[in-house]
């Protein structure tokens, strides 16, 4: 439960001290008078859960399928939080049944308090470490070549995939198609869907952070 | 000016096939290029430059002893007084080779990962009495270089391991480390992630604590890096490739120049520059890290970013604390 557990101190404008008690299958989160229990079994594999804090209501707002919300808004996580004018205190991604957890502590709180685990000896990093951490847990890729076939019906993509450290199955998601990818070099042929972008991630996942603009690569400007 | 000449014997074999070898985990058997030692061509590439030191890389130099002797003879002819060091995995060391090193005043750096040596799928020769005697026989400097990866990021335990080895050898040894570099998605399991990130952070804290206490391993591994950092901060001397490749002239023994010894081994002759990659433009350490390796693509770079960022984060913390106390000015 805490193998991939990262805490960022001094982040959120919220009164009180954040406490997380971790038991098998549960994260019990408390801050001031607010509390929320995240049940591991309620979060499907290949999905994200976010616990937001609303200043106006002084309450937690749980959001399941955070990845779908950000995909609908076509925004990154940080952009979505700014757009919603909310702060995130707890985020969990389940990939390949492995939880990747990020905890954002209230301003002034330097270490995570817990009745079940001792986080006092942990190393804490500034918020600027969040992107390098995400890079580890999301698949990363390099696209070497994109072209249309002679009939202009299929897109041919040469890409190199470095999988997530949680080793979940990675797909090329494009239009209504999801093609499985292998670690290393991939040669993908996929029916051309004008206007669509390519996303690399879990099956059907369309995160902005993994977007690749195929139209631009093909020099097709609408 | 280049501080070091690196001569690389790229078409030579290696006796090992370490999983995370930067040269591709292939024993170099796929390399069909059989180049002769091209002294004239090397001299032409050197173009009269002076160096502070010379290092000789393989393949595995000791597995290609004739070629090593040719290379050393060349170095001693044109640079008789410059220190020479060979980089070796150490497995093929014997009395004959140790005596040869002594006769030619050559130091060695042995790649060895301490307790994690078994990740190379080889026996640990530092546990063998006869081998320790061989190292004792070598008159010049003997150093070790460890790769810090997901299963080997406990620097205190590396210190412990090599201190014990030092005691057994009976003379001072050097130690240095390099952070794992990924050049093939097959070896993604070695990427530093999860709790290993916390362990690495604590290791860096330990390293700088030991530097303050004057521990020789901490000093040999960090003094040059801290000096380079001070020069870069104070004199703003452009970007520095984090591995120092831009301060070395790397030449294959067939005379072809390459950006670094890895490029030379892989036959990559691109004129790589340690520029800051666009993906790193917002990073506060980009000027010092320069995107880890200019030969690396973003897909790999992103996976290694956390460990390098952590190193620079901790280095800067330490560096600034030294400066506040009036040191390193």
């Amino acid at each position: 439960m805490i193998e991939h557990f990262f805490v960022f101190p001094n982040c959120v404008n919220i009164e009180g001290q954040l406490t997380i008690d971790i038991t098998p299958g549960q994260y019990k989160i408390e801050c001031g008078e607010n509390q929320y229990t995240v049940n591991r079994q309620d979060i499907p594999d290949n999905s994200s859960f976010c616990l937001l804090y609303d200043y106006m209501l002084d309450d937690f707002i749980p959001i399941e399928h955070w990845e779908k919300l950000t995909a609908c808004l076509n925004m990154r996580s940080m952009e979505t939080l700014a757009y919603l004018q909310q702060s995130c205190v707890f985020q969990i991604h389940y990939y390949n049944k492995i939880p990747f957890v990020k905890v954002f502590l209230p301003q002034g709180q330097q270490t995570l308090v817990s009745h079940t685990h001792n986080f006092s000896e942990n190393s804490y990093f500034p918020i600027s470490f969040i992107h390098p951490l995400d890079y580890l847990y999301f698949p990363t890729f390099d696209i070497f070549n994109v072209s249309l076939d002679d009939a202009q019906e299929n897109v041919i993509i040469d890409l190199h995939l470095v999988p997530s450290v949680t080793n979940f199955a990675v797909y090329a998601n494009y239009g209504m198609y999801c093609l499985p990818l292998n670690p290393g070099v991939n040669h993908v042929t996929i029916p051309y869907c004008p206007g669509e972008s390519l996303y690399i991630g879990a099956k059907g996942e369309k995160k902005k952070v993994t977007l690749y603009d195929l139209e631009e690569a093909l020099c097709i400007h609408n | 000016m280049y501080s070091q000449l690196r001569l690389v014997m790229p078409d030579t074999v290696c006796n090992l096939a370490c999983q995370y070898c930067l040269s591709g985990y292939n024993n170099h058997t796929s390399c069909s290029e059989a180049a002769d030692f091209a002294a004239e061509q090397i001299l032409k590439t050197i173009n009269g430059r002076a160096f502070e030191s010379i290092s000789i890389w393989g393949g595995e130099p000791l597995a290609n002893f004739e070629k090593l002797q040719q290379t050393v003879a060349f170095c001693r002819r044109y640079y008789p007084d410059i220190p020479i060091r060979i980089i070796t995995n150490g497995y093929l060391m014997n009395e004959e080779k140790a005596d040869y090193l002594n006769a030619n005043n050559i130091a060695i750096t042995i790649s060895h990962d301490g307790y994690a040596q078994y990740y190379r799928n080889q026996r640990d020769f530092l546990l063998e009495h006869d081998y320790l005697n061989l190292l004792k026989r070598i008159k010049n400097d003997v150093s070790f270089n460890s790769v810090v990866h997901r299963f080997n990021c406990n620097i205190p335990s590396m210190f412990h391991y090599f201190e014990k080895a030092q005691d057994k050898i009976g003379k001072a040894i050097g130690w240095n480390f390099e952070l794992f570099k990924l050049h093939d998605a097959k070896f993604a399991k070695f990427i530093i992630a999860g709790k290993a990130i916390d362990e690495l952070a604590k290791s860096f804290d330990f390293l700088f604590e030991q530097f303050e206490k004057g521990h020789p391993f901490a000093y040999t591994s960090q003094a040059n890096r801290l000096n380079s950092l001070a020069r870069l901060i104070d004199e703003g001397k452009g970007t520095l490739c984090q591995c120092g490749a831009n301060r070395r002239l790397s030449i294959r023994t067939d005379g072809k120049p390459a950006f670094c010894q890895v490029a030379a081994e892989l036959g990559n002759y691109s004129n790589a520059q340690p520029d800051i990659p666009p993906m790193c433009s917002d990073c506060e350490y980009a000027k010092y890290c320069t995107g880890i390796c200019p030969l690396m693509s973003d897909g790999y770079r992103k996976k290694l970013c956390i460990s390098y960022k952590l190193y620079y984060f901790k280095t800067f913390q330490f560096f600034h604390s030294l400066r506040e106390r009036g040191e390193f000015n």
Side-chain angles (χ1 to χ4, degrees):
Chain A
M1 295 284 275
I2 60 160
E3 168 67 18
H4 304 283
F5 194 100
F6 301 95
V7 184
F8 297 92
N10 220 10
C11 289
V12 187
N13 191 9
I14 175 174
E15 293 283 322
Q17 182 171 254
L18 193 86
T19 306
I20 301 187
D21 295 336
I22 305 163
T23 51
Q26 278 192 338
Y27 299 89
K28 190 179 169 195
I29 301 152
E30 277 185 60
C31 191
E33 296 192 348
N34 299 308
Q35 61 168 279
Y36 190 86
T37 301
V38 181
N39 288 310
R40 188 174 165 163
Q41 64 187 30
D42 294 344
I43 305 168
D45 207 15
N46 293 338
S47 81
S48 301
F49 170 90
C50 257
L51 188 64
L52 307 184
Y53 172 73
D54 187 303
Y55 303 99
M56 302 294 283
L57 299 173
D58 182 27
D59 202 359
F60 286 146
I61 305 174
I63 312 248
E64 290 172 14
H65 291 290
W66 174 253
E67 78 288 354
K68 287 190 179 164
L69 178 65
T70 56
C72 285
L73 294 169
N74 193 27
M75 290 176 177
R76 292 165 185 250
S77 262
M78 294 283 205
E79 292 167 341
T80 308
L81 288 170
Y83 175 72
L84 296 174
Q85 297 186 308
Q86 306 285 351
S87 298
C88 178
V89 292
F90 178 91
Q91 187 175 15
I92 180 166
H93 305 254
Y94 262 101
Y95 282 122
N96 201 14
K97 299 186 173 59
I98 296 170
F100 164 40
V101 179
K102 288 176 278 187
V103 178
F104 304 94
L105 299 182
Q107 281 181 4
Q109 186 177 348
Q110 300 299 333
T111 56
L112 178 60
V113 181
S114 171
H115 302 109
T116 55
H117 291 73
N118 181 6
F119 290 98
S120 63
E121 296 294 311
N122 277 42
S123 295
Y124 293 89
F125 309 116
I127 196 75
S128 63
F129 276 63
I130 199 164
H131 292 312
L133 265 183
D134 285 344
Y135 294 149
L136 280 178
Y137 290 89
F138 302 150
T140 60
F141 57 93
D142 297 292
I143 296 195
F144 300 129
N145 192 36
V146 177
S147 59
L148 281 172
D149 66 1
D150 291 343
Q152 308 253 313
E153 285 175 355
N154 294 300
V155 195
I156 303 159
I157 306 160
D158 291 322
L159 69 88
H160 185 273
L161 173 75
V162 190
S164 157
V165 294
T166 60
N167 220 11
F168 66 89
V170 180
Y171 290 78
N173 300 305
Y174 177 63
M176 57 188 288
Y177 302 99
C178 301
L179 267 76
L181 298 174
N182 298 314
V185 176
N186 288 263
H187 184 76
V188 177
T189 302
I190 197 165
Y192 177 49
C193 308
E196 287 288 341
S197 294
L198 173 74
Y199 298 84
I200 307 291
K203 194 171 187 178
E205 186 181 71
K206 293 192 172 181
K207 280 184 183 166
K208 191 183 177 188
V209 72
T210 63
L211 176 149
Y212 182 80
D213 191 340
L214 272 190
E215 302 284 292
E216 193 181 301
L218 292 166
C219 298
I220 296 168
H221 303 289
N222 296 318
Chain B
M1 180 195 155
Y2 293 108
S3 62
Q4 189 181 81
L5 170 65
R6 281 198 168 174
L7 287 170
V8 187
M9 310 190 292
D11 54 334
T12 55
V13 295
C14 180
N15 53 315
L16 302 186
C18 300
Q19 290 192 64
Y20 41 83
C21 176
L22 290 176
S23 304
Y25 185 46
N26 62 6
N27 270 37
H28 302 242
T29 46
S30 63
C31 188
S32 57
E33 210 176 335
D36 291 330
F37 187 87
E40 274 186 29
Q41 199 57 39
I42 296 171
L43 283 172
K44 204 171 156 189
T45 308
I46 290 173
N47 196 19
R49 291 179 180 97
F51 305 98
E52 290 164 17
S53 64
I54 297 173
S55 64
I56 300 172
W57 297 65
E60 163 51 39
L62 296 184
N64 306 274
F65 199 51
E66 268 183 40
K67 195 147 201 174
L68 174 67
Q69 287 171 311
Q70 255 183 324
T71 309
V72 169
F74 168 86
C75 295
R76 281 287 167 248
R77 181 172 171 197
Y78 294 100
Y79 298 95
D81 303 321
I82 291 180
I84 298 177
R85 177 177 293 276
I86 65 166
I87 316 303
T88 170
N89 59 46
Y91 280 91
L92 298 173
M93 183 63 70
N94 57 26
E95 288 186 2
E96 179 205 353
K97 286 168 184 161
D99 291 342
Y100 172 79
L101 297 178
N102 288 338
N104 288 280
N105 200 18
I106 297 171
I108 56 166
T109 293
I110 300 175
S111 305
H112 192 293
D113 290 348
Y115 289 114
Q117 182 71 354
Y118 63 91
Y119 282 101
R120 293 177 188 245
N121 297 328
Q122 297 292 329
R123 71 177 215 278
D124 183 357
F125 50 72
L126 286 183
L127 301 175
E128 297 167 10
H129 181 71
D130 289 349
Y131 195 92
L132 295 169
N133 279 337
L134 268 180
L135 293 183
K136 206 179 282 184
R137 193 182 179 106
I138 296 172
K139 289 181 192 153
N140 258 299
D141 177 51
V142 175
S143 284
F144 292 87
N145 188 62
S146 305
V147 177
V148 172
H149 54 69
R150 188 171 185 175
F151 312 108
N152 192 33
C153 53
N154 189 329
I155 291 178
S157 82
M158 288 187 224
F159 270 41
H160 181 249
Y161 180 92
F162 287 106
E163 277 167 358
K164 270 194 345 194
Q166 183 171 252
D167 289 345
K168 286 185 208 159
I169 296 167
K171 66 173 187 179
I173 57 171
W175 177 82
N176 205 341
F177 74 93
E178 60 186 283
L179 288 170
F180 171 68
K181 285 193 180 78
L182 180 70
H183 280 271
D184 192 324
K186 274 191 296 218
F187 310 122
K189 68 175 180 182
F190 291 103
I191 295 168
I192 295 169
K195 290 305 270 181
I197 296 173
D198 193 47
E199 196 177 357
L200 186 64
K202 286 175 186 155
S203 282
F204 289 146
D205 289 338
F206 168 84
L207 185 68
F208 291 121
E209 261 171 47
Q210 294 302 312
F211 185 93
E212 288 230 76
K213 290 178 184 167
H215 193 294
F217 291 171
Y219 191 80
T220 54
S221 68
Q222 294 308 302
N224 280 342
R225 287 173 188 171
L226 287 167
N227 278 320
S228 299
L229 194 63
R231 240 188 35 216
L232 203 59
I233 290 170
D234 297 340
E235 299 168 28
K237 286 206 169 176
T239 54
L240 176 77
C241 193
Q242 69 84 24
C243 64
N246 59 330
R247 297 191 61 233
R248 303 182 196 112
L249 179 63
S250 298
I251 308 176
R252 290 163 50 117
T253 45
D254 58 9
K256 291 175 184 161
F259 175 69
C260 65
Q261 79 279 357
V262 176
E265 284 200 61
L266 296 175
N268 179 343
Y269 306 113
S270 64
N271 188 20
Q273 292 296 321
D275 289 335
I276 297 169
M279 67 158 269
C280 304
S281 57
D282 291 339
C283 176
E284 64 267 48
Y285 305 117
K287 191 177 165 190
Y288 311 100
C289 167
T290 57
I292 303 170
C293 172
L295 301 173
M296 191 179 279
S297 67
D298 282 351
Y300 289 133
R301 186 173 284 127
K302 285 177 176 172
K303 287 284 183 274
L304 301 177
C305 177
I306 190 84
S307 46
Y308 283 81
K309 188 160 186 146
L310 189 52
Y311 173 72
Y312 284 100
F313 174 65
K314 292 288 182 185
T315 306
F316 268 78
Q317 269 186 344
F318 178 64
F319 184 80
H320 290 309
S321 74
L322 285 180
R323 281 260 156 120
E324 276 168 23
R325 283 178 278 148
E327 295 170 49
F328 257 92
N329 284 322

